[in-house]
């Protein structure tokens, strides 16, 4: 990973590829690299779908090594959904393959003048950019199948579906999993629309002839990786809950806590949650010949994914994540896993963020376009998006725009991005993260659920305001650093509870780069990333007044705790003061 490739899609005479040393970005990876490039090189007032915006693909600092859990790919740009800086990351095989080929980042710049559609082939011999208009308006599953016939199965694919080509603001970028299915998505913020604006339909990554990235201190690296894996396997969340039931293990947990947003955030408990739970989902998957335990990339030891088949044993989709089951389930008053799985497949196939689309359909139901709980109507609304009808284009641009078009007063968004599956009124810590993160409402930016609800890394009462800002601050700093390593964020459960596992992570980083890595170094990295992102957003016009939840979270108490969000604005404004 000693090179950066830049592809000027708007160059005179056609796309132009140039290569350079990593230079000022040396030692960075993942989110740190994408955010520093954007903050340094992208005009903060540019139009996100214009030629001035850049789209950066960056594997993490440890991607492409033999280290476990290192397969996250970061994609960064100015977001067309939020107008802020954006980093969205996904599993799958792309990060590992891109890192082994040797690129710290591939940066798409400019914008072609015509309507041609391009594919980019990256291998050990270089990068080629080809026109391929036969791919126009193909969705992800048939698109990958067509590409496999030409490029085979020993590669990784990065693609956009029809939603990305249409530049819908909820459009995602898909990365193929080990079975070459387009199931792992950089979902949030409309990054797929930016790829569509660059007219790039697919990136084919071929690491034939390349080896694993070697550590500076191989024996120390292997030893640290072994201890790290042992730590993950002995923690109850990463070693038991997630492998057995996936992320959807949270449905029952959040419902019992009264923090499960139901029918567009009108209640905190869903009467149909048992039918959607991770336990029910795992039992159904195994009964139908699928699996409840599966890794989204090679080298994953948590294995929190799975395979969801229909009643006849045919593949439908990968195991829907908790946030997907919630957004298309309880948020819309739907209690049927088969409907949720079909909607998850449609999201992946069209290339859409499952959180944004589920929340959008719930908002549409609130507007009267369908009744809450109407399964067939939810599917019909998604079909409109896939067809690109005028209604579908409105829905495909997310919850905020849908709410404005149809006159919905209470739309759960921050900085234009839909809230995920945790109500901020009975879980105040996650409300602080939603309000203040540089990314728009994003649970992963500072996952306060860990400490508020799961009691990982301590215990901060979710119903009280005390300690929530400090909790969110520390989690946002840690997350920005983890997102830069290429590690899956789920490692946080083990490293927050087990000092020896955190030390093993530091030793992995240190041994790989031949340096001494401390906890203070991790904190410094996280602060550096967040400071750059905050500075970009400030220059883009965002102020402290944008770091607020929608007003109804302050005025409308929610059952069963009958509580509003009550962390004072003055405390929110202190989150980034370090």
């Amino acid at each position: 990973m000693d090179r950066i490739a830049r592809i000027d899609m708007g160059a005179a005479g056609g796309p132009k590829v140039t290569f350079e040393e990593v230079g000022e970005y040396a030692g960075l990876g993942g989110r740190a690299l994408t955010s520093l490039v954007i903050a340094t090189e992208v005009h903060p007032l540019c139009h996100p779908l214009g030629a001035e915006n850049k789209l950066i693909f960056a594997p993490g600092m440890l991607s492409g090594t033999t280290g476990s859990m290192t397969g996250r790919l970061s994609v960064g740009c100015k977001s067309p959904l939020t107008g802020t800086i954006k980093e969205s990351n996904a599993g799958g095989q792309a990060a590992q393959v891109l890192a082994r080929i040797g690129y710290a980042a591939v940066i798409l710049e400019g914008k072609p003048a015509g309507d041609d559609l391009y594919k980019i082939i990256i291998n050990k011999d270089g990068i080629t950019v080809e026109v391929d208009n036969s791919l126009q308006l193909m969705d992800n599953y048939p698109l990958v199948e067509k590409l496999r016939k030409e490029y085979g199965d020993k590669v990784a694919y990065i693609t956009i579906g029809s939603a990305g080509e249409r530049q819908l603001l909820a459009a995602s970028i898909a990365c193929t999993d080990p079975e070459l299915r387009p199931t792992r998505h950089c979902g949030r913020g409309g990054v797929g629309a930016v790829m569509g604006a660059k007219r790039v339909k697919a990136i084919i990554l071929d690491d034939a002839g390349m080896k694993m990235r070697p550590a500076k201190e191989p024996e120390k690296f292997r030893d640290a990786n072994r201890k790290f894996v042992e730590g993950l396997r002995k923690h109850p969340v990463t070693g038991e809950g997630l492998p057995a039931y996936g992320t959807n293990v949270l449905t029952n947990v959040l419902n019992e806590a009264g923090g499960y947003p139901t029918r567009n955030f009108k209640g905190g408990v869903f009467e149909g949650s048992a039918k959607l739970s991770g336990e029910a989902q795992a039992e159904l998957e195994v009964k139908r010949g699928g699996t409840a335990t599966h890794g989204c990339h090679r080298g994953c030891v948590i294995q929190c994914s799975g395979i969801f088949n229909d009643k006849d044993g045919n593949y439908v989709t990968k195991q829907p994540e908790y946030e997907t089951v919630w957004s298309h389930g309880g948020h819309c008053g739907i209690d049927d896993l088969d409907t949720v799985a079909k909607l998850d497949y449609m999201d992946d196939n069209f290339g859409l963020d499952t959180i944004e689309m589920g929340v959008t359909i719930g908002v549409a139901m609130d507007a009267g376009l369908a009744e809450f709980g109407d399964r067939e109507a939810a599917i019909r609304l998604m079909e409109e998006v896939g067809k690109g009808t005028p209604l579908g284009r409105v829905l495909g641009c997310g919850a905020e725009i849908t709410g404005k078009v149809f006159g919905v007063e209470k739309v759960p968004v921050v900085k234009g991005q839909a809230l995920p599956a945790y109500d901020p009124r009975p879980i105040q810590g996650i409300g602080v993260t939603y309000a203040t993160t540089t990314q728009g409402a994003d649970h992963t930016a500072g996952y306060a659920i860990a400490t508020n609800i799961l009691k990982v890394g301590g215990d901060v009462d979710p119903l009280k305001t005390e300690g929530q800002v400090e909790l969110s601050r520390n989690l946002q700093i840690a997350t920005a650093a983890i997102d830069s390593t290429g590690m899956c964020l789920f490692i946080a459960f083990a490293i927050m509870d087990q000092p020896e596992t955190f030390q093993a992570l530091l030793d992995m980083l240190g041994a790989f780069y031949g340096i001494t890595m401390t906890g203070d170094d991790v904190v410094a990295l996280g602060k550096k990333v967040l400071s750059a992102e905050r500075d970009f957003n400030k220059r883009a016009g965002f102020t402290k007044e944008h770091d607020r939840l929608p007003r109804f979270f302050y005025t409308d108490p929610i059952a069963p705790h009958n509580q509003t969000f009550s962390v004072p604005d003055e405390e929110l404004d202190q989150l980034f003061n370090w």
Side-chain angles (χ1 to χ4, degrees), residues 120-131:
I120 299 171
I121 302 96
I122 303 176
N123 56 34
K124 65 180 177 59
D125 298 320
I127 296 177
T128 57
V129 185
E130 300 176 3
V131 174

Side-chain angles (χ1 to χ4, degrees), residues 5-347:
R6 295 180 186 266
I7 305 174
D8 182 357
M9 296 303 300
K16 180 181 179 183
V17 182
T18 57
F19 304 97
E20 63 190 39
E21 301 295 319
V22 289
E24 63 182 302
Y25 305 119
L28 301 177
R31 179 175 169 181
L33 185 46
T34 64
S35 289
L36 267 294
V37 169
I38 296 162
T40 305
E41 302 183 14
V42 174
H43 196 293
L45 299 179
C46 76
H47 193 291
L49 301 179
E52 288 185 289
N53 201 6
K54 300 188 181 188
L55 187 66
I56 301 106
F57 298 83
M61 296 162 65
L62 293 175
S63 298
T65 73
T66 56
S68 298
M69 310 300 301
T70 58
R72 303 296 292 192
L73 178 75
S74 288
V75 174
C77 60
K78 178 177 178 179
S79 166
L81 184 74
T82 66
T84 67
I85 200 166
K86 174 57 66 180
E87 186 266 357
S88 185
N89 63 67
Q93 290 298 109
Q96 304 283 29
V97 176
L98 183 59
R100 281 196 289 270
I101 297 173
Y103 292 106
V106 174
I107 304 175
L108 303 186
E109 304 176 336
K111 183 176 181 179
D115 294 329
D116 281 335
L117 200 57
Y118 295 87
K119 60 185 177 185
I120 299 171
I121 302 96
I122 303 176
N123 56 34
K124 65 180 177 59
D125 298 320
I127 296 177
T128 57
V129 185
E130 300 176 3
V131 174
D132 191 344
N133 290 319
S134 71
L135 307 179
Q136 285 190 357
L137 290 179
M138 292 191 73
D139 286 315
N140 281 316
Y141 273 90
L143 170 63
V144 170
E145 283 307 303
K146 178 179 172 66
L147 293 171
R148 287 176 69 177
K149 292 176 182 175
E150 184 170 359
Y151 298 100
D153 293 345
K154 295 182 178 180
V155 299
Y157 298 100
I158 299 173
T159 60
I160 56 171
S162 56
E165 266 190 83
R166 293 188 174 108
Q167 300 177 39
L168 303 183
L169 304 188
S172 62
I173 294 175
C175 299
T176 48
D177 61 21
E179 290 75 32
L180 290 180
R181 290 166 173 153
T183 61
R184 320 317 304 187
H185 287 244
C186 298
R188 309 238 66 191
V191 292
V194 179
M195 188 162 159
K198 306 291 184 192
R199 303 296 295 160
V200 175
K201 183 70 174 178
I203 302 174
I204 299 98
L205 303 170
D206 182 355
D207 65 349
M210 304 301 291
K211 298 180 179 178
M212 292 284 186
R213 294 173 63 206
K216 295 283 187 182
E217 301 175 72
E219 291 187 14
K220 186 177 179 182
F221 183 77
R222 280 194 296 271
D223 184 59
N225 186 48
R226 177 182 58 77
K227 293 176 180 175
F228 181 66
V229 170
E230 289 174 354
L232 295 176
R233 285 178 171 158
K234 78 177 184 181
H235 192 275
V237 175
T238 53
E240 298 174 15
L242 288 172
Y245 305 114
T247 57
N248 196 21
V249 69
L250 289 167
T251 290
N252 280 336
V253 174
L254 269 296
N255 203 57
E256 291 173 7
Y260 188 88
T262 302
R263 296 180 178 83
N264 196 25
F265 287 78
K266 290 183 172 60
V269 176
F270 182 45
E271 72 280 3
S273 65
K275 294 180 181 178
L276 297 175
S277 70
E279 292 83 348
Q281 181 173 267
E283 181 180 354
L284 190 63
E285 287 169 340
V286 173
K287 178 182 176 182
R288 290 177 171 180
T291 177
T293 304
H294 181 266
C296 76
H297 71 274
R298 297 186 182 93
C300 170
V301 297
I302 296 178
Q303 305 265 309
C304 70
S305 189
I307 302 295
F308 192 102
N309 290 342
D310 66 15
K311 60 183 176 55
D312 297 320
N314 300 311
Y315 173 86
V316 176
T317 187
K318 92 287 192 186
Q319 177 175 277
E321 305 287 352
Y322 164 65
E323 286 75 17
T324 305
V325 175
W326 161 78
S327 70
H328 284 307
H331 180 71
C332 294
I334 292 171
D335 63 1
D336 179 60
L337 282 171
D338 283 306
T339 301
V340 169
K342 182 176 178 61
L343 290 164
D344 180 72
Y345 168 80
M346 295 170 81
D347 285 326

Side-chain angles (χ1 to χ4, degrees), residues 223-495:
D223 184 59
N225 186 48
R226 177 182 58 77
K227 293 176 180 175
F228 181 66
V229 170
E230 289 174 354
L232 295 176
R233 285 178 171 158
K234 78 177 184 181
H235 192 275
V237 175
T238 53
E240 298 174 15
L242 288 172
Y245 305 114
T247 57
N248 196 21
V249 69
L250 289 167
T251 290
N252 280 336
V253 174
L254 269 296
N255 203 57
E256 291 173 7
Y260 188 88
T262 302
R263 296 180 178 83
N264 196 25
F265 287 78
K266 290 183 172 60
V269 176
F270 182 45
E271 72 280 3
S273 65
K275 294 180 181 178
L276 297 175
S277 70
E279 292 83 348
Q281 181 173 267
E283 181 180 354
L284 190 63
E285 287 169 340
V286 173
K287 178 182 176 182
R288 290 177 171 180
T291 177
T293 304
H294 181 266
C296 76
H297 71 274
R298 297 186 182 93
C300 170
V301 297
I302 296 178
Q303 305 265 309
C304 70
S305 189
I307 302 295
F308 192 102
N309 290 342
D310 66 15
K311 60 183 176 55
D312 297 320
N314 300 311
Y315 173 86
V316 176
T317 187
K318 92 287 192 186
Q319 177 175 277
E321 305 287 352
Y322 164 65
E323 286 75 17
T324 305
V325 175
W326 161 78
S327 70
H328 284 307
H331 180 71
C332 294
I334 292 171
D335 63 1
D336 179 60
L337 282 171
D338 283 306
T339 301
V340 169
K342 182 176 178 61
L343 290 164
D344 180 72
Y345 168 80
M346 295 170 81
D347 285 326
D348 286 354
N349 195 36
F350 301 153
L352 293 160
D353 174 14
T354 62
I355 295 174
E356 194 68 43
M357 288 314 302
V359 173
T360 298
I361 291 173
V363 170
M365 288 176 166
D366 222 356
L369 271 68
E371 296 291 329
F372 281 110
D374 189 335
R375 306 170 189 177
E376 290 74 20
I379 292 170
R380 284 198 301 274
L381 290 173
M382 280 292 292
E383 287 173 342
E384 296 280 342
V385 183
K387 293 174 184 174
T389 65
L391 172 59
R393 287 174 181 261
V394 170
L395 298 172
C397 283
E400 183 176 61
I401 286 180
T402 298
K404 288 180 177 177
V405 169
F406 293 103
V408 179
E409 176 190 351
K410 297 171 183 175
V411 180
V413 299
V414 174
K415 301 182 182 77
Q417 183 163 282
L419 266 64
Y422 316 87
D423 197 294
R425 289 164 287 192
I427 314 172
Q428 303 271 313
I430 200 67
V432 174
T433 295
Y434 290 159
T436 60
T437 171
T438 55
Q439 307 286 324
D442 183 349
H443 61 298
T444 66
Y447 192 63
I449 304 303
T451 308
N452 278 170
I453 300 296
L454 302 177
K455 310 308 178 188
V456 171
D459 182 0
V460 177
D461 189 335
L463 298 173
K464 296 181 178 178
T465 61
E466 291 79 10
Q468 306 295 356
V469 169
E470 182 182 8
L471 173 64
S472 180
R473 177 192 296 121
N474 292 336
L475 289 169
Q476 291 196 52
I477 292 170
T479 300
I482 292 172
D483 286 345
S484 304
T485 64
M487 286 278 180
C488 172
L489 187 57
F490 292 156
I491 69 166
F493 294 112
I495 65 175

